[in-house]
């Protein structure tokens, strides 16, 4: 849900900034709208053709251009402020999730990692030192059952971590879009000031999911979890080998 809301925020930010005519007396001046596509490339679309009321009314034309500029500037400022409020609301939602469900998330991840380690270890024992199970068919059934119990915790680890990682990346993309919009020429100074405030807000607001503050849920955490599971499997296998060697 948080990822989808951040996508909507970024799409709104991509199409919210317009460029202006700064005091130009040229009645053939065009008004354009700046968009940023999904490849993060700035595109300038011609939104309207010539604003021409007539060659005999240049003052009226200039007044019309200035009025349109002022209207577009006010609309952009209001839209950026609305996007800033939406971003803060999304950040508060993430904080509420971390505070309310952080302990449950931590226990769920720990239990999933422990179950995965033990089930894989039992499968290794059944393959290498199958002393109690004599039938080969029974061994295959036993291993199939263990692998079936291993798949759900692995899917829980991967699915939860991938969802948090995608939401985190989409939130980080907002800062990139704001910086690209600030590099656009012919923007009103008040709009640039509002974008700078948005940029400062993004620096102080970090959108990330944590397990009760102990670790951040992202792909780096998933990689470290996989490494820890492999390490524990090696240790458990060595302990089991030494135990079998002592009792034999």
């Amino acid at each position: 849900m948080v990822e989808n809301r951040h996508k909507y925020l970024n799409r709104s930010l991509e199409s919210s900034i317009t460029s202006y005519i700064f005091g130009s007396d040229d009645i053939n001046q065009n008004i354009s709208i700046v968009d940023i596509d999904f490849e993060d490339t700035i595109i300038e679309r011609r939104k309207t053709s010539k604003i021409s009321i007539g060659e005999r009314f240049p003052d009226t034309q200039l007044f019309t251009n200035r009025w349109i500029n002022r209207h577009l500037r006010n609309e952009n400022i209001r839209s950026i402020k609305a996007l800033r409020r939406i971003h803060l609301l999304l950040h508060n939602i993430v904080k509420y999730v971390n505070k309310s469900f952080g302990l449950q998330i931590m226990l769920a991840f720990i239990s999933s990692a422990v179950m995965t380690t033990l089930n894989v270890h039992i499968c290794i024992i059944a393959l290498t030192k199958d002393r109690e199970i004599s039938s080969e068919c029974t061994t295959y059934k036993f291993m199939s059952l263990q692998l079936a119990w291993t798949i759900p915790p692995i899917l829980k680890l991967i699915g939860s971590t991938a969802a948090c990682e995608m939401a985190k990346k989409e939130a980080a993309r907002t800062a990139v879009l704001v910086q690209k919009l600030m590099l656009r020429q012919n923007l009103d100074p008040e709009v640039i000031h509002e974008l700078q405030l948005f940029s400062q807000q993004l620096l102080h607001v970090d959108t990330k999911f944590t397990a009760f503050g102990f670790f951040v849920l992202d792909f780096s955490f998933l990689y470290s979890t996989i490494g820890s599971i492999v390490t524990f499997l090696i240790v458990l296998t060595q302990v089991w080998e030494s135990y079998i060697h002592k009792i034999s």
Side-chain angles (χ1 to χ4, degrees):
M1 186 270 291
V2 175
E3 179 196 359
N4 291 332
R5 294 300 181 269
H6 274 290
K7 284 183 179 180
Y8 174 77
L9 187 148
N10 290 335
R11 285 197 297 266
S12 301
L13 187 62
E14 288 170 355
S15 58
S16 63
I17 305 301
T18 55
S19 59
Y20 307 93
I21 309 168
F22 290 108
S24 175
D25 294 332
D26 185 6
I27 63 176
N28 294 326
Q29 188 80 27
N30 292 344
I31 295 179
S32 60
I33 289 183
V34 177
D35 284 340
I36 299 179
D37 61 3
F38 290 103
E39 287 77 19
D40 294 337
T41 305
I42 296 180
I43 300 175
E44 186 175 354
R45 295 185 304 162
R46 288 296 172 183
K47 198 64 177 178
T48 61
S49 58
K50 301 173 183 179
I51 304 176
S52 178
I53 301 175
E55 297 181 356
R56 293 179 298 177
F57 304 100
D59 295 336
T60 305
Q61 176 62 45
L62 180 59
F63 172 79
T64 304
N65 289 341
R66 288 177 177 175
W67 181 87
I68 293 175
N69 288 337
R70 185 165 58 251
H71 176 71
L72 293 177
R73 178 192 62 192
N74 295 334
E75 286 294 327
N76 286 330
I77 291 176
R78 282 194 295 268
S79 63
I80 294 173
K81 287 183 177 179
L83 293 176
R84 288 177 61 191
R85 288 193 293 268
I86 293 173
H87 186 268
L88 285 178
L89 288 175
L90 291 174
H91 176 67
N92 290 333
I93 291 174
V94 173
K95 287 179 62 178
Y96 179 78
V97 170
N98 293 333
K99 182 179 179 181
S100 301
F101 304 101
L103 183 60
Q104 293 89 330
I105 292 173
M106 183 182 67
L107 295 178
F109 272 78
I110 292 175
S111 63
S112 298
V114 171
M115 289 177 61
T116 302
T117 304
L118 293 179
N119 290 332
V120 175
H121 176 62
I122 292 173
C123 290
I124 293 175
I125 293 175
L127 281 175
T128 57
K129 300 293 181 180
D130 188 15
R131 299 189 176 189
E132 297 181 359
I133 304 176
S134 57
S135 175
E136 183 177 357
C137 181
T138 307
T139 303
Y140 288 151
K141 291 181 179 179
F142 176 76
M143 290 188 60
S144 300
L145 182 62
Q146 288 299 123
L147 290 177
W149 279 100
T150 306
I151 292 175
I154 292 177
L155 293 179
K156 183 187 294 185
L157 285 172
I158 296 176
S160 302
T161 307
C164 297
E165 176 71 18
M166 288 187 292
K168 179 181 176 181
K169 285 185 177 180
E170 195 65 32
R173 184 168 172 263
T174 305
V176 178
L177 293 177
V178 171
Q179 295 299 321
K180 286 188 175 183
L181 289 174
M182 289 175 62
L183 294 176
R184 178 63 186 175
Q185 296 180 355
N186 298 330
L187 286 182
D188 191 272
E190 294 186 11
V191 176
I192 295 178
H193 177 68
E194 196 66 33
L195 289 173
Q196 289 175 348
L197 293 178
F198 198 0
S199 178
Q200 293 177 3
Q201 175 180 320
L202 293 171
L203 288 176
H204 296 286
V205 175
D206 190 10
T207 301
K208 60 183 179 182
F209 293 89
T210 62
F212 213 62
F214 285 93
F215 45 80
V216 180
L217 302 179
D218 52 11
F219 281 157
S220 61
F221 165 73
L222 182 62
Y223 301 149
S224 62
T225 302
I226 294 174
S228 300
I229 290 174
V230 173
T231 303
F232 278 112
L233 283 174
I234 295 174
V235 173
L236 288 175
T237 303
Q238 292 178 350
V239 172
W240 177 259
E241 289 290 339
S242 61
Y243 174 73
I244 294 298
H245 181 72
K246 287 182 180 179
I247 64 176
S248 60

